[in-house]
Amino acid sequence: MESVLKHNFESTAQEGNENILFDNQLNVEIEQSGCDHIRQVFKFWIEKPGEGEPNWYFLAAEQFAYLSNISKETKILGIWADVIESNASQFKLSKPVEVDSGFFVKIDKIVEDKKVILVVELSQNLYPSNKN
C-alpha cells in the first residue's frame, strides 16, 4: 500500500503482532489472538489533542475511518468506525461495551507527554454477553 512507510508482522502459534507506520506518521500496532475468544487490539500512537479533554471515542472512530480509506482491502474497517461512533455515548474508558451479541469494543488511552496511545480492543466471546 502506498501510504505504508514501514510494516512488520510476527506470529506465534496463538498470536499475531503487526506494526505499521503510515505516511501521515500514524503508528499502529495490531495484536491478534484467540480461537474461541477472539481478540484484536489496535494501538494508535497519536499526537495529544490540544486544550481540554477530547472525546476519545470519536477519536478512536476517526482512526478506523482513516484506515478504511487507505485501500479497498482496509475498507471493511470503516464498519468499526461506524460502530464506535454510533455507540459513543455508551463507552467509558477501560469498560467493554457489547455492540452486538457476543461482540465487544473496549477503548482506553495511555498518555505519554505529547503522545497518546489510543487502545481499542475488539473481541468476540471474551466477556459475558448481555444480549442472549
Side-chain angles (χ1 to χ4, degrees):
M1 292 181 219
E2 288 181 26
S3 58
V4 174
L5 295 179
K6 290 183 185 177
H7 180 254
N8 183 43
F9 179 79
E10 297 176 4
S11 67
T12 64
Q14 295 289 326
E15 192 171 295
N17 195 356
E18 196 165 1
N19 286 293
I20 309 159
L21 177 63
F22 294 95
D23 58 5
N24 71 349
Q25 298 308 302
L26 175 65
N27 190 347
V28 181
E29 179 180 337
I30 306 167
E31 300 169 2
Q32 301 179 66
S33 62
C35 246
D36 295 331
H37 306 288
I38 298 168
R39 181 175 180 255
Q40 286 185 308
V41 178
F42 289 77
K43 294 179 183 176
F44 300 96
W45 274 259
I46 58 173
E47 290 293 321
K48 185 176 178 185
E51 299 289 319
E53 190 73 4
N55 185 318
W56 298 107
Y57 317 115
F58 286 120
L59 202 52
E62 283 179 10
Q63 306 314 305
F64 283 99
Y66 168 77
L67 293 177
S68 74
N69 287 314
I70 290 173
S71 75
K72 57 184 172 182
E73 289 84 9
T74 61
K75 192 85 176 148
I76 191 89
L77 293 173
I79 292 170
W80 289 111
D82 295 341
V83 166
I84 292 168
E85 199 168 290
S86 64
N87 289 282
S89 64
Q90 296 182 48
F91 286 107
K92 290 183 175 46
L93 291 176
S94 305
K95 304 288 183 201
V97 171
E98 189 169 19
V99 295
D100 200 358
S101 184
F103 291 89
F104 293 85
V105 176
K106 182 169 73 170
I107 299 172
D108 208 350
K109 65 176 171 63
I110 302 166
V111 178
E112 295 182 340
D113 196 29
K114 294 182 181 185
K115 291 274 189 185
V116 174
I117 304 171
L118 193 55
V119 182
V120 181
E121 176 190 83
L122 310 175
S123 64
Q124 182 178 3
N125 301 322
L126 190 61
Y127 303 101
S129 176
N130 295 321
K131 297 185 178 192
N132 290 328

